[in-house]
Amino acid sequence: MKQISVPTTGLREDFNNWRVPADYVDAFLGKCDGRDGCVTLRPFAFNDTEHLTNQRHWLAANAAFWCRACREAETGCEQAETLASVRAVLNLAL
């Protein structure tokens, strides 16, 4: 199964649009893999910090990633994979 990745520059724009503070952006990106100008989520990434506890900022960072992933999906198959990943994250959270 391929990993879903998004361009770093577009993701940073989305972080800005979602008003994610810089320290949360840095922490989020630190929990991701970055290669060739793209960001990929690692499996089981979670907030293990003691000082970045604002749930709204974490939600906004994740929403920015998944919205960018949906925008970047070029084919119907890629769109389905992205939406299935979002659904899997939702089921895991419940």
Side-chain angles (χ1 to χ4, degrees):
M1 177 182 211
K2 77 175 198 177
Q3 292 183 320
I4 295 174
S5 63
V6 298
T8 304
T9 55
L11 181 57
R12 287 192 177 274
E13 290 173 12
D14 288 342
F15 284 146
N16 188 43
N17 292 338
W18 282 86
R19 293 184 173 90
V20 180
D23 50 348
Y24 284 80
V25 169
D26 293 339
F28 184 89
L29 292 177
K31 297 182 179 304
C32 297
D33 290 326
R35 185 181 319 159
D36 300 327
C38 290
V39 173
T40 305
L41 288 180
R42 288 184 190 148
F44 304 109
F46 58 92
N47 178 19
D48 58 355
T49 65
E50 293 181 9
H51 61 289
L52 300 176
T53 58
N54 186 307
Q55 293 178 349
R56 185 255 174 241
H57 296 319
W58 283 114
L59 176 64
N62 280 282
F65 178 88
W66 288 109
C67 286
R68 175 57 59 175
C70 286
R71 262 189 244 114
E72 294 292 327
E74 295 179 353
T75 66
C77 183
E78 288 176 345
Q79 291 169 348
E81 287 176 344
T82 302
L83 293 175
S85 297
V86 172
R87 186 172 187 145
V89 171
L90 170 67
N91 288 330
L92 183 64
L94 297 176

